[in-house]
Amino acid sequence: MVLDSKIPSGPLEQKWSKHKMDSKLINPANKRKFTVIIVGSGLAGGAAAASLAEMGYQVKCFCYQDSPRRAHSIAAQGGINASKNYQNDGDSVRRLFYDTIKGGDFRAREGNVYRLAEVSGNIIDQCVAQGVPFAREYGGLLDNRSFGGSQVSRTFYARGQTGQQLLIGCYQALEKEIHKGGVKMYPRTEMLDVVLVNGHAKGIVVRDLVTGEISSHAADAVILATGGYGNVFFLSTNAMGCNVTAAWRAARRGALFANPCYTQIHPTCIPVSGDYQSKLTLMSESLRNDGRIWAPKSQEVAAKLREKKITAGDVAEDDRDYFLERKYPSFGNLAPRDISSRAAKEACDDGRGVAPTGLGVYLDFRDATKRLGEDTIRSRYGNLFQMYDKIAGEDPYKGPMMIYPAVHYTMGGLWVDYNLMSNIPGLHVLGEANFSDHGANRLGASALMQGLADGYFVIPTTIANYLVTQKPGSISTSMPEFKQTETETKERTNKLHNINGKRTVDSFHRELGLTMWNDCGMARSREGLTAAIQKIPQIREEFWQNVRIPGSGANVNSELEKAGRVADFLEFGELMCYDARDREESCGGHFRVEHQFFDTDPEVIAGSTQAGEAKRHDEHFSHVSAWQYNGNDHAPTLHKEPLVYEDVHVSIRSYA
């Protein structure tokens, strides 16, 4: 299989303009003849639905939530990146492009990332026009703050509620098109399969989560904008409903899954407090603008803090290790997420963790509060401080927060080309559900940027390149492919419900998650990944023999919903481990303990990097790993798309 990325030729700065000029056009009268299905109504899906409907296409939009406003995009906190250089600190499209490529550890496509940086400014203009209440300076101009992996201030924000405010703006645009009749919305409806006609994606099979009815919908093209797969770890910062089902069901039909091992561990989350937890809580990376991260220098002081014999305020300045500032002085507390997470883990592994479990370090606002005053800190982060107080029971205005890394974003996803179309013709994938822009690590505040770029500015141009090759309205649900896929979906659902075993769905999910965290989490090894590849099929086999789903499939049944999603995680998790084992290097969020710099390496001796940093092997792994699912009884097949860097000099990633 040859993976054609369809990256336009020519200079990097002209690729997107050239591609837009070369892309096919559909006149307004003909657009009305095409129907597009969009699965997901977050920032990527909602923006695409609103934009395509406004252009004249007929859109069907599906979400499993009771409203598009409940999409997980609402949980994003700290901000959205754009290269407008409002702070006059040297930002540019080129610098945003380079920071993103470097932040992804040189494992993303140049063409896609430059396009993302190029359209970023348009996103801010669009959102301001929609009324998104971005923070403003005293004179009324939009304000910016810094985020990890950058030395400029390019992050636009609305306190700690940026995702919520952006989603409301997107939702208003979507509701306008629903009212006009261009979008038909299907809430509380979950996609369970994609329908292929002559090898092209032409519809989906869904389940009504209220009535239990399974039905089919046809269209001329299908767009998936269904988010990431972080909940394969059970504990993550994702909402409990977030899942891999839509993407994985497409993979079961032949869509390639790219770079699944690239999962991001966010450094600033509230530490886990017990086995009873079902999710973790993110504290925005924006807090690292003013908060200083530290751990005690000695294990003895850390032990006293864990036992509550002393408080953080009792630890003298000379006894504190501000380890990010020490290790990465050029970026300090704003080092990228993967690097910051590993540094926190190292401190805790050294016995210097401060949480009762030993898994936690401090995020301290003492110095910033003295310098700026509590009112300023409250105006910047008030809702985040309030959230921490409610969850942790401690007032962060009086003492430091405790944080520890947790699973957050997933850089891997379905493989797509420059048009955002997968290897299945007609199946397009947007936002976190695709793999295309972040490489091995996403910089903070770039998720909202990618979702809105894909939905507002990329797919409205690129989808026409596929649609012009199709006869509009030629597909209907009466075709045998729809009947066959619908029958298979019903059989799978009934099989799940009829197992009538003794274990809960959550117990299997938790067991899988613990295996994934231990063997495919922050640190990975060939030995651990091989053990996971052997264990996950055993968990999966017991699941299909012993899971218990109470109630009926003919009405609301949240356990049946969860069971279908966990069944997919039990297949997808195995693929993740295959990918992580095959990638014999460390890069970004993928850290193999066998592949790191040691004190004896010439690069460390020369001072170009530090011991413990990730060691890439560019000569062997400068490629996209796109995996083909071959059933549970056969190993997946690996296809490679080479990554070619013409404008960027690939180097050791240093933030010192």
Side-chain angles (χ1 to χ4, degrees):
M1 184 183 296
V2 178
L3 297 178
D4 181 5
S5 64
K6 294 185 171 62
I7 300 293
S9 60
L12 188 63
E13 293 82 359
Q14 298 174 20
K15 289 183 185 295
W16 179 229
S17 297
K18 179 179 184 295
H19 192 67
K20 286 191 290 184
M21 182 59 66
D22 293 343
S23 291
K24 304 298 183 181
L25 296 177
I26 301 173
N27 78 52
N30 286 338
K31 284 191 178 86
R32 294 192 290 270
K33 300 175 184 178
F34 288 99
T35 299
V36 179
I37 282 174
I38 298 177
V39 185
S41 60
L43 288 180
S51 299
L52 293 177
E54 193 167 33
M55 295 170 70
Y57 296 105
Q58 298 299 308
V59 176
K60 294 182 177 181
C61 187
F62 297 81
C63 69
Y64 67 76
Q65 298 93 345
D66 54 9
S67 164
R69 283 186 61 179
R70 299 291 296 276
H72 192 56
S73 301
I74 203 169
Q77 296 171 348
I80 176 172
N81 288 331
S83 58
K84 281 186 168 291
N85 195 30
Y86 281 179
Q87 303 302 316
N88 196 29
D89 55 2
D91 200 12
S92 65
V93 169
R94 186 84 189 184
R95 191 176 294 276
L96 174 54
F97 156 72
Y98 182 75
D99 285 348
T100 305
I101 282 280
K102 178 184 175 183
D105 219 349
F106 304 98
R107 290 293 178 262
R109 288 187 192 137
E110 280 187 338
N112 285 71
V113 176
Y114 193 89
R115 176 175 65 185
L116 177 64
E118 187 178 349
V119 304
S120 65
N122 295 337
I123 298 171
I124 303 304
D125 296 340
Q126 170 97 356
C127 294
V128 169
Q130 290 174 338
V132 173
F134 287 121
R136 293 179 180 268
E137 296 176 326
Y138 179 76
L141 300 177
L142 295 182
D143 197 11
N144 294 107
R145 56 189 177 197
S146 301
F147 256 63
S150 170
Q151 291 178 304
V152 299
S153 296
R154 63 163 66 102
T155 304
F156 296 78
Y157 65 98
R159 294 183 72 189
Q161 307 166 345
T162 313
Q164 179 181 12
Q165 299 303 329
L166 290 172
L167 188 62
I168 290 173
C170 178
Y171 173 73
Q172 289 172 332
L174 178 61
E175 285 296 308
K176 177 183 70 130
E177 296 306 318
I178 293 173
H179 178 72
K180 289 170 59 178
V183 177
K184 183 169 176 55
M185 193 73 214
Y186 294 86
R188 301 293 291 150
T189 306
E190 182 169 28
M191 172 189 154
L192 296 182
D193 215 335
V194 60
V195 181
L196 304 186
V197 179
N198 296 324
H200 290 234
K202 292 299 181 183
I204 60 174
V205 175
V206 301
R207 180 174 181 269
D208 186 311
L209 299 183
V210 177
T211 67
E213 179 186 4
I214 292 175
S215 61
S216 301
H217 295 264
D220 298 294
V222 176
I223 294 174
L224 300 185
T226 51
Y229 47 85
N231 275 354
V232 69
F233 292 90
F234 186 69
L235 285 178
S236 81
T237 65
N238 293 179
M240 290 179 64
C242 294
N243 61 81
V244 76
T245 288
W248 186 245
R249 300 292 170 89
R252 288 174 63 94
R253 293 292 177 186
L256 299 182
F257 216 110
N259 299 337
C261 77
Y262 289 159
T263 55
Q264 182 170 81
I265 313 296
H266 197 293
T268 57
C269 301
I270 298 178
V272 64
S273 57
D275 292 339
Y276 59 86
Q277 278 188 257
S278 56
K279 77 175 298 295
L280 298 172
T281 302
L282 169 71
M283 299 306 296
S284 169
E285 182 179 308
S286 63
L287 294 169
R288 293 200 275 153
N289 273 286
D290 291 308
R292 301 179 71 191
I293 296 174
W294 64 275
K297 290 182 178 178
S298 74
Q299 297 175 348
E300 292 75 19
V301 172
K304 292 180 181 178
L305 288 165
R306 290 194 297 271
E307 296 165 5
K308 298 191 183 302
K309 293 180 179 179
I310 60 174
T311 67
D314 296 325
V315 181
E317 188 70 14
D318 289 344
D319 294 330
R320 302 181 178 199
D321 177 18
Y322 295 95
F323 51 86
L324 290 180
E325 299 172 29
R326 170 175 56 82
K327 296 183 69 172
Y328 311 106
S330 294
F331 285 73
N333 293 296
L334 289 173
R337 290 175 176 179
D338 58 324
I339 287 173
S340 301
S341 294
R342 284 200 297 276
K345 181 179 185 297
E346 288 172 7
C348 294
D349 289 348
D350 189 38
R352 296 185 290 123
V354 297
T357 60
L359 302 178
V361 296
Y362 286 129
L363 178 61
D364 200 333
F365 290 84
R366 181 194 64 179
D367 295 345
T369 302
K370 287 181 180 178
R371 185 178 73 254
L372 302 170
E374 184 175 314
D375 288 344
T376 299
I377 298 298
R378 193 179 297 273
S379 69
R380 292 177 179 176
Y381 313 111
N383 63 305
L384 296 170
F385 277 43
Q386 182 184 41
M387 183 171 70
Y388 183 88
D389 192 357
K390 286 183 175 294
I391 293 172
E394 297 177 351
D395 185 352
Y397 291 106
K398 297 179 179 178
M401 298 179 181
M402 277 194 291
I403 57 169
Y404 191 71
V407 173
H408 180 52
Y409 188 88
T410 54
M411 286 72 67
L414 292 181
W415 182 90
V416 293
D417 61 19
Y418 195 69
N419 289 317
L420 302 184
M421 189 166 75
S422 73
N423 60 295
I424 295 179
L427 182 66
H428 298 74
V429 191
L430 313 185
E432 191 178 359
N434 75 32
F435 87 100
S436 65
D437 290 7
H438 304 298
N441 173 64
R442 175 179 68 82
L443 294 184
S446 287
L448 303 181
M449 177 175 62
Q450 187 211 349
L452 291 178
D454 286 356
Y456 280 141
F457 298 108
V458 179
I459 199 64
T461 293
T462 62
I463 197 170
N465 291 312
Y466 171 75
L467 291 177
V468 295
T469 68
Q470 305 299 300
K471 181 180 178 181
S474 61
I475 304 297
S476 74
T477 56
S478 63
M479 300 177 76
E481 291 88 347
F482 284 85
K483 300 301 181 185
Q484 176 66 24
T485 307
E486 192 174 314
T487 298
E488 293 171 2
T489 301
K490 290 177 179 177
E491 290 174 351
R492 179 182 173 90
T493 303
N494 290 335
K495 181 181 178 182
L496 262 178
H497 191 261
N498 293 333
I499 294 171
N500 201 29
K502 296 181 179 180
R503 286 184 60 181
T504 65
V505 176
D506 281 349
S507 71
F508 285 103
H509 196 178
R510 191 182 295 273
E511 184 179 3
L512 170 67
L514 187 62
T515 300
M516 295 298 296
W517 179 252
N518 288 340
D519 296 325
C520 196
M522 289 185 69
R524 304 159 180 185
S525 68
R526 169 164 282 274
E527 180 183 10
L529 291 164
T530 299
I533 290 170
Q534 295 170 347
K535 183 176 182 181
I536 292 171
Q538 297 171 3
I539 303 173
R540 185 171 63 236
E541 182 179 4
E542 186 185 356
F543 173 88
W544 282 100
Q545 294 177 352
N546 198 29
V547 72
R548 180 173 179 81
I549 303 170
S552 165
N555 51 29
V556 176
N557 190 335
S558 60
E559 286 299 300
L560 182 59
E561 296 169 31
K562 286 195 294 184
R565 298 165 188 171
V566 172
D568 293 327
F569 279 136
L570 284 164
E571 294 177 350
F572 171 72
E574 185 179 1
L575 181 74
M576 276 186 64
C577 294
Y578 270 108
D579 187 38
R581 188 177 68 172
D582 176 80
R583 188 166 285 276
E584 291 279 0
E585 66 167 352
S586 293
C587 56
H590 169 66
F591 189 77
R592 287 282 296 270
V593 296
E594 308 98 322
H595 301 284
Q596 57 182 300
F597 285 99
F598 296 100
D599 290 325
T600 54
D601 283 320
E603 295 89 347
V604 176
I605 295 172
S608 59
T609 190
Q610 306 177 58
E613 296 300 325
K615 180 185 283 188
R616 299 192 319 268
H617 298 302
D618 298 327
E619 66 277 17
H620 300 299
F621 293 98
S622 188
H623 62 251
V624 177
S625 294
W627 294 87
Q628 177 183 335
Y629 174 74
N630 294 321
N632 292 334
D633 297 328
H634 302 279
T637 302
L638 174 61
H639 304 276
K640 299 178 182 179
E641 178 203 332
L643 290 170
V644 179
Y645 291 99
E646 299 174 347
D647 284 66
V648 167
H649 175 64
V650 179
S651 61
I652 292 175
R653 193 165 64 122
S654 173
Y655 291 91

